[in-house]
Amino acid sequence: MKHLIDPTDLTKGEIDEIISLAQDIIAHRDRYQGSMSHRKLATLFYEPSTRTRLSFTAAMMELGGNVLGFSDARSSSASKGESVQDTVRVVGNFADVIAMRHHIEGAQLYASEVSKVPIINAGDGSHSHPTQTLTDLLTIQRELGHIDGITIGFCGDLRFGRTVHSLIKALSRYQGIKVILIAPPELKLPDYIKQDVCERTGIPYREVETMEEVMPELDVLYMTRVQKERFLDEDEFDRVKDSFVLDSARMALAKKDMAVLHPLPRVNEILTEVDDDPRAAYFRQVENGKFVREALIVKLLEWKDDPAHGMPSEDKPVVDPELRCTNRKCICNNEHAPHKFRRTETGALRCWYCDSKVR
Ligand code: NCD
């Protein structure tokens, strides 16, 4: 069964197929209308969303399909204590594909272990957000004409920003990528992305603390919101919330054809004075999200039972009753998911579900 839980569930070839189908849908929208008639998408959203849920809904509607689901877990059986595995076992009888967002990390991976329909991860805590990544890749392709060879600056909350984690993972499949990380010390990129992704795949990265020093080098500036809801300590959030603000003066330092991306919602990190700059691509990015989700739904249903498009083969999990995942927000510390781990190429053990360190 093909699911999309993590960007690395897709091969480079599969990413290319989705991006080029999205471009074909943009060019010939009428050809795809009705292609999903009699098909149903379930959107199970345990955490707030505007763009992701509505763009999945709009995508399925444009393909002539139907959508069911919930946008507030309080109105679902989760409020009675139902597990995510039981919920997808049930919903798999009603829908052909499920898009799920959850505040618990690894919830979708755990759910996919028992699902009879493809699961799409629409965001799990601060861990991953692979459909935003497809949106970002399509946007970079359309804005710059290529993805290989770009220098991309990630700015803001690189610690909790799941869109950043997923995009860096996907970019590790491309050639000649350079990553610049612009964040205060409290919001730095997690070690597992630096070590298991950048260092393992040889993506050069540099950590800096001001935007000004790197603006002229960037082909893409990826701005992010400081993720208030993920902080355990409100004072810490107040200290870092306005760390980086993009304004016209900083845009003046950038290349004439740089693209500014932001997964949105924005709070203070991009002043509205930047919106009219032709390099501000974040509202075009939103529309790309709808097209790429159309392409993803079509492809996942096509690949569903095709052995040529399985999930990446994983090593066997390491299970040891002495070992525990250290992440309180991981599925294995919230539901009855087992504590299991994978050994990375550097020999470290990481949680199977959320990539956290092991105790
Ligand atoms: C992002 C998310 O939910 O992670 N938004 C989105 O899906 N477009 C980014 C954010 O919430 O800051």
Side-chain angles (χ1 to χ4, degrees):
M1 174 75 64
K2 186 77 181 172
H3 305 282
L4 177 57
I5 308 297
D6 186 271
T8 55
D9 294 336
L10 298 172
T11 63
K12 173 70 167 42
E14 288 167 343
I15 294 177
D16 290 345
E17 274 191 58
I18 294 169
I19 302 284
S20 64
L21 177 57
Q23 288 177 299
D24 201 57
I25 292 173
I26 292 166
H28 310 284
R29 291 170 68 167
D30 46 328
R31 283 194 202 158
Y32 295 89
Q33 281 162 5
S35 61
M36 287 287 131
S37 63
H38 307 299
R39 300 290 209 138
K40 284 169 270 145
L41 164 75
T43 55
L44 310 184
F45 276 60
Y46 295 79
E47 192 186 54
S49 168
T50 303
R51 265 151 300 277
T52 306
R53 190 174 62 81
L54 294 183
S55 70
F56 266 115
T57 304
M60 196 57 172
M61 287 173 162
E62 294 221 349
L63 297 169
N66 286 302
V67 184
L68 63 163
F70 55 81
S71 56
D72 182 347
R74 283 172 304 186
S75 66
S76 80
S77 286
S79 64
K80 302 179 188 169
E82 186 171 58
S83 70
V84 286
Q85 282 201 335
D86 282 0
T87 301
V88 303
R89 274 197 180 103
V90 169
V91 175
N93 297 300
F94 308 143
D96 302 284
V97 52
I98 295 174
M100 183 194 287
R101 170 170 285 193
H102 211 296
H103 50 280
I104 297 295
E105 296 172 17
Q108 293 86 339
L109 178 56
Y110 184 50
S112 71
E113 290 171 0
V114 298
S115 182
K116 63 178 181 184
V117 300
I119 304 270
I120 301 172
N121 177 4
D124 64 323
S126 47
H127 185 225
S128 277
H129 194 347
T131 66
Q132 182 63 46
T133 296
L134 293 172
T135 304
D136 302 338
L137 293 173
L138 175 62
T139 305
I140 296 169
Q141 176 65 43
R142 293 189 76 196
E143 294 292 320
L144 302 183
H146 61 99
I147 301 172
D148 286 323
I150 60 166
T151 297
I152 178 167
F154 289 95
C155 180
D157 188 346
L158 313 189
R159 176 177 168 200
F160 296 118
R162 56 193 173 192
T163 65
V164 173
H165 307 163
S166 287
L167 182 52
I168 294 178
K169 281 185 178 179
L171 287 173
S172 72
R173 305 256 147 124
Y174 289 81
Q175 301 295 316
I177 303 294
K178 287 197 192 119
V179 166
I180 301 182
L181 305 168
I182 312 159
E186 298 86 339
L187 298 180
K188 280 186 188 262
L189 192 71
D191 283 347
Y192 86 89
I193 304 278
K194 287 189 218 160
Q195 291 159 8
D196 298 358
V197 183
C198 297
E199 287 164 25
R200 190 178 59 77
T201 60
I203 297 187
Y205 70 91
R206 206 160 102 221
E207 296 187 282
V208 300
E209 287 187 18
T210 69
M211 297 170 88
E212 288 78 354
E213 62 191 288
V214 293
M215 279 305 263
E217 292 176 52
L218 303 179
D219 301 305
V220 175
L221 173 61
Y222 195 97
M223 295 296 296
T224 61
R225 170 180 74 91
V226 179
Q227 308 270 303
K228 183 174 185 188
E229 66 279 24
R230 315 268 180 227
F231 281 77
L232 299 174
D233 173 356
E234 200 157 324
D235 291 342
E236 190 184 7
F237 169 73
D238 284 336
R239 268 199 309 280
V240 294
K241 66 179 182 199
D242 293 322
S243 298
F244 295 102
V245 177
L246 183 63
D247 57 10
S248 301
R250 292 189 173 95
M251 285 298 285
L253 304 171
K255 288 185 185 168
K256 294 277 168 283
D257 57 354
M258 183 188 77
V260 182
L261 272 63
H262 190 311
L264 302 180
R266 80 166 141 194
V267 188
N268 299 320
E269 60 281 356
I270 303 182
L271 296 190
T272 51
E273 67 187 25
V274 178
D275 295 356
D276 292 332
D277 189 306
R279 296 168 291 181
Y282 31 92
F283 291 113
R284 296 190 288 277
Q285 191 180 352
V286 175
E287 194 184 23
N288 289 331
K290 181 187 66 178
F291 295 125
V292 96
R293 288 182 174 98
E294 286 185 51
L296 175 66
I297 292 167
V298 170
K299 284 288 166 193
L300 274 188
L301 290 178
E302 185 184 310
W303 294 337
K304 185 176 168 234
D305 298 313
D306 181 348
H309 292 281
M311 296 297 274
S313 57
E314 283 266 19
D315 295 336
K316 271 179 104 62
V318 176
V319 184
D320 177 337
E322 302 290 307
L323 300 177
R324 285 279 172 274
C325 168
T326 51
N327 177 6
R328 303 204 281 193
K329 294 182 180 165
C330 176
I331 191 72
C332 64
N333 287 317
N334 287 275
E335 289 195 8
H336 295 295
H339 286 260
K340 55 183 185 178
F341 307 94
R342 92 195 133 72
R343 197 170 292 285
T344 67
E345 283 179 12
T346 56
L349 279 180
R350 303 247 184 239
C351 174
W352 185 263
Y353 294 105
C354 75
D355 289 302
S356 293
K357 285 198 191 127
V358 175
R359 169 164 58 76

